[in-house]
Amino acid sequence: QSALTQPPSASGSPGQSVTISCTGTSSDVGGYAYVSWYQQHPGKAPKLMIYEVSKRPSGVPDRFSGSKSGNTASLTVSGLQGEDEADYYCASYAGIKYFYVFGTGTKVTVL
Amino acid sequence: QAQLVESGGGVVQPGSSLRLSCAASGFTFSAYGIYWVRQAPGKGLEWVTAISYDARNEYYADSVKGRFTISRDNFKNTVYLQMNSLRPEDTAVYFCAKPPDSSSLRSGMDVWGQGTTVTVSS
């Protein structure tokens, strides 16, 4: 099972929006409504930002939103803030055979 | 609140074995599946294995199948990862995590431990 494909980097100025894509196949992203997104700061554990494509856990700002179209999921961060600078990973359930797969990761820089 | 604490990491030689533990508190452990995820130095996240709430179902990444075994003790609120035939490419920080929903291991991981480091080197 190959990792989901994400752009290596993305950037935006404070207050702007940035959208990160996550491309898989019909066997993972496209086949299930179980895409999740994680934020990871250096040396820290990942933090869940979005699950089941577009649900936000309690405490996650509504500046973070998720969506999916076909085999590609997206995370949008609106109103960028300095603390949003981090690595972001998508992940998807991939069925009984492969079960779970992460994306390659995207480094978001706030200019 | 829900908390997971990993332990058991260390430096071992190739071919060796190691057992990691993930101790849970602050939630009904016996109702939740648990994942292990690892991150090699400077690399991305890799899902390793998962176990259902009742231990009836185990899932493994191809990279560890046949070498790693996940298990749990619902009386001790602990999940274990037995790692055998370790390889240099198994060097990573190992995290355990729980899903947000007790009924599914598909939804993602909302609580993570701080991680424990495994180094496989001669």
Side-chain angles (χ1 to χ4, degrees), chain B residues 67-113:
Chain B
R67 300 187 300 122
F68 289 13
T69 302
I70 190 172
S71 62
R72 66 187 296 156
D73 184 335
N74 283 347
F75 294 104
K76 295 184 177 179
N77 284 6
T78 301
V79 168
Y80 304 99
L81 181 62
Q82 179 65 44
M83 304 186 296
N84 297 332
S85 302
L86 281 162
R87 305 167 179 169
E89 55 264 36
D90 296 319
T91 294
V93 176
Y94 284 74
F95 298 97
C96 61
K98 66 171 275 296
D101 184 354
S102 63
S103 66
S104 173
L105 266 172
R106 305 178 182 187
S107 299
M109 304 145 191
D110 71 335
V111 176
W112 295 66

Side-chain angles (χ1 to χ4, degrees), chain A residues 56 60-65 76-81 83-84:
Chain A
R56 245 186 339 269
V60 173
D62 59 6
R63 303 185 292 104
F64 291 85
S65 61
T76 297
V77 185
S78 306
L80 268 174
Q81 299 181 5
E83 68 232 42
D84 300 333

Side-chain angles (χ1 to χ4, degrees), chain A residues 51-77:
Chain A
Y51 68 104
E52 293 180 10
V53 177
S54 59
K55 295 181 180 179
R56 245 186 339 269
S58 173
V60 173
D62 59 6
R63 303 185 292 104
F64 291 85
S65 61
S67 63
K68 189 186 80 159
S69 177
N71 296 339
T72 299
S74 299
L75 173 73
T76 297
V77 185

